[in-house]
Amino acid sequence: MIRPHDLIWINERAALGADEALPEWVSQQWRTSLPLVVRRDVQEGGRIPVGIRGMKRSQRAAAWVSEEAIRRIVTPESLVSEPVALLHSTFVSQQPVQALIMLAQRPWPWTWGVTGSCGYALATEIPVMHADSDLDLVVRCPQPASLDDLQRLAMWLQALPCRADAQLETPLGGFALSEWLRDGRAMLKTAAGPRLTRDPWASFQED
């Protein structure tokens, strides 16, 4: 199953659609050896919503690809599944990777992975991280989590050598851990758009 935050590679450039529908930088910079990032959006005719990443932070574009065009998938979880691989990473001196090594030693109650620039760098060996890069995490949380567990996770993140943000994924969408702990409610990102809710696991109760 393909999920938001997965990195996918496609077999041909044409799978992205006509160049006229995309920013000019896409045709200049993107190639099939680079991954696309699965987005959270309504699927169009069974096609997968993806994001295209350019060289600059401002260069991001949305597109859709057919599942048949996908030749490789890398999940956020797979990038942290082998701590030894992190120790031998080209980017081991970068603080986000050092933070991942620390987190890999924790007794996680959930499945988790790395996204953002750190995940992209680990998957591609392209040096897109910089000295001030944050660490972005995705935490698979299909069942309601206790406040104690979430607060413990927040403490782990605060002890890291770099800023870290965790997005919790429920069956209905994803929300920011920091927002949930601060406000007791969160903006849940769903395929149909963001919804403010106090119960990200069971309902859309707006306040």
Side-chain angles (χ1 to χ4, degrees), residues 25-142:
W25 62 261
V26 174
S27 61
Q28 297 171 345
Q29 298 181 23
W30 191 84
R31 54 193 185 277
T32 55
S33 60
L34 298 174
L36 304 166
V37 184
V38 178
R39 298 183 292 111
R40 197 186 313 277
D41 203 341
V42 177
Q43 294 192 12
E44 294 189 349
R47 295 189 299 167
I48 307 298
V50 296
I52 309 168
R53 184 183 183 124
M55 297 300 294
K56 298 178 181 178
R57 184 175 298 184
S58 61
Q59 292 177 327
R60 302 290 187 269
W64 283 262
V65 298
S66 67
E67 193 166 351
E68 291 75 19
I70 298 172
R71 61 182 174 84
R72 182 188 176 199
I73 303 172
V74 170
T75 67
E77 296 92 328
S78 69
L79 296 172
V80 299
S81 63
E82 298 182 12
V84 173
L86 295 174
L87 288 169
H88 291 91
S89 167
T90 305
F91 308 108
V92 69
S93 63
Q94 298 274 1
Q95 288 188 340
V97 177
Q98 294 175 12
L100 287 178
I101 293 170
M102 294 172 63
L103 288 172
Q105 300 175 52
R106 297 287 192 178
W108 284 79
W110 312 286
T111 302
W112 66 285
V114 59
T115 63
S117 60
C118 183
Y120 192 92
L122 290 173
T124 64
E125 295 293 321
I126 298 174
V128 294
M129 285 185 286
H130 51 78
D132 298 323
S133 287
D134 295 344
L135 177 63
D136 296 307
L137 303 172
V138 60
V139 181
R140 309 294 183 188
C141 200

Side-chain angles (χ1 to χ4, degrees), residues 13-22:
R13 169 68 182 78
L16 282 178
D19 286 342
E20 293 78 9
L22 296 169

